[in-house]
Amino acid sequence: PPPPQQGFGPPPIPQHSKPQSPAPPAVPPNRPISNPPPPQNVTPPHHEKVYWLPSFDAHTPVSHNFRHELGDHGWGNNEKQNYTDNSANSFHHDNRLIVRGLVQNGSYTSARLTSHQTLSRPRGYLTATILPPSAEGVWPAYWLLPKDPFQWPNDGEVDICESWQGEGINHTCLHWGHYNAEDHNKHQVITTPLHDLAHRPHTYGFAWIEEEGIPNWRGRMIWYIDGRAVQRANIPHGIRRMEDFRILINIAMGGTVCKGVLPKDGYYDMVVSELKMCEEPMGGWAQFERDWGFAPEG
């Protein structure tokens, strides 16, 4: 029989690189109205102000932009895959980055990439067009953690494109606390059904603005899918500054999230294109303000 459907709560998260730590201070309940971004009375013709654009040319090594994290120790979630730096598991093709999970005769290999580049700015916009694999036992993710060394969950985690079990549902998440009654509200999750998630690439965006000079206030962030704001959140107190965060791209297999189900023999590709960091989101910061007014909170 098919496995039971995964609940919509926050997924278990690999603990290996995220040691436990004390809970951060409470999140400010309301956004102050002072110190908004500079007004933009006239919207100029949009031209992207890109400050990081990695090359996915076939002659550029994946290691030029990413570090390979390695191992088959379960990653705190009883996962099955062995993360390698083998070119069979991560490579460039047709100006795209391919992370490939390979399953053959009881062997499960994949890649877990972490970007050398950090967000590096107090405000900006990260975007990528991604076609993730979608199948039972497969858990692809495109997400953010602070650069090493860091403490989890104190320093925070941002999930942008995450799905599992072939369900056709994307999970956007903000994590900064434990899974217990006291910290239940420190895991904000929005689920977005995407009926064609397995067949058509979608563009996943994340905008952040860290505002200065406001007592007990950090700033805001908005997640986007295909230009539509799907989640908003205040930047919690206690997490690392946004410019310290880096990109992770990986495909996990089996484990708690997949209910112990393992993928069938074959290959499972996560295809990433148009990955870049920009100085502002589409439509500029004025559009960010409008999006903030209706985007849901997790």
Side-chain angles (χ1 to χ4, degrees):
Q5 291 294 305
Q6 177 73 22
F8 292 164
I13 300 172
Q15 301 291 322
H16 172 74
S17 60
K18 307 172 185 179
Q20 302 299 306
S21 60
V27 182
N30 298 304
R31 177 199 162 216
I33 59 174
S34 58
N35 197 29
Q40 298 184 6
N41 297 324
V42 178
T43 302
H46 182 76
H47 58 283
E48 291 181 314
K49 301 174 182 177
V50 178
Y51 66 90
W52 182 68
L53 180 67
S55 170
F56 293 157
D57 181 86
H59 299 292
T60 302
V62 173
S63 59
H64 183 76
N65 297 307
F66 297 92
R67 175 170 64 92
H68 289 81
E69 295 190 334
L70 308 176
D72 61 354
H73 44 67
W75 296 86
N77 194 43
N78 297 315
E79 296 164 26
K80 187 70 173 179
Q81 78 285 340
N82 179 28
Y83 286 131
T84 82
D85 58 3
N86 193 304
S87 60
N89 294 120
S90 58
F91 55 93
H92 295 151
H93 174 71
D94 194 25
N95 287 312
R96 293 171 171 84
L97 168 65
I98 314 295
V99 173
R100 173 169 287 178
L102 283 169
V103 182
Q104 187 173 17
N105 299 326
S107 170
Y108 301 83
T109 61
S110 182
R112 176 176 163 123
L113 309 179
T114 67
S115 65
H116 303 308
Q117 173 75 27
T118 62
L119 298 183
S120 77
R121 300 189 179 199
R123 63 171 68 183
Y125 180 67
L126 171 67
T127 180
T129 298
I130 299 175
L131 180 63
S134 185
E136 287 190 340
V138 177
W139 177 17
Y142 162 68
W143 50 307
L144 305 175
L145 283 176
K147 64 184 179 182
D148 295 321
F150 67 94
Q151 292 182 315
W152 191 92
N154 226 26
D155 288 344
E157 171 185 337
V158 174
D159 302 317
I160 303 172
C161 171
E162 184 175 29
S163 58
W164 51 82
Q165 288 289 70
E167 291 181 345
I169 298 171
N170 188 74
H171 299 250
T172 49
C173 317
L174 173 64
H175 302 290
W176 73 102
H178 301 276
Y179 289 102
N180 57 34
E182 182 182 355
D183 287 355
H184 74 280
N185 63 340
K186 296 177 181 176
H187 302 273
Q188 298 182 4
V189 182
I190 290 286
T191 56
T192 304
L194 297 173
H195 69 278
D196 57 357
L197 179 146
H199 309 293
R200 184 174 73 85
H202 292 273
T203 298
Y204 300 86
F206 174 72
W208 70 96
I209 176 167
E210 192 136 32
E211 297 172 303
E212 304 284 356
I214 306 175
N216 302 315
W217 180 247
R218 286 287 300 273
R220 294 166 291 153
M221 49 183 77
I222 299 179
W223 292 251
Y224 295 86
I225 300 178
D226 297 331
R228 180 171 64 94
V230 297
Q231 181 175 351
R232 73 178 189 185
N234 297 322
I235 299 176
H237 283 296
I239 74 167
R240 286 269 284 282
R241 290 189 61 82
M242 296 307 298
E243 57 253 45
D244 285 346
F245 280 73
R246 63 200 160 107
I247 299 167
L248 287 86
I249 303 172
N250 66 285
I251 299 174
M253 303 182 201
T256 307
V257 164
C258 294
K259 304 286 189 180
V261 175
L262 292 171
K264 297 179 173 62
D265 278 15
Y267 67 91
Y268 301 89
D269 283 353
M270 189 168 187
V271 182
V272 182
S273 60
E274 299 179 356
L275 173 64
K276 56 198 167 190
M277 296 178 186
C278 306
E279 294 181 8
E280 59 185 28
M282 296 290 290
W285 294 111
Q287 185 61 48
F288 180 95
E289 291 295 310
R290 290 188 289 270
D291 293 336
W292 180 265
F294 66 82
E297 291 202 51

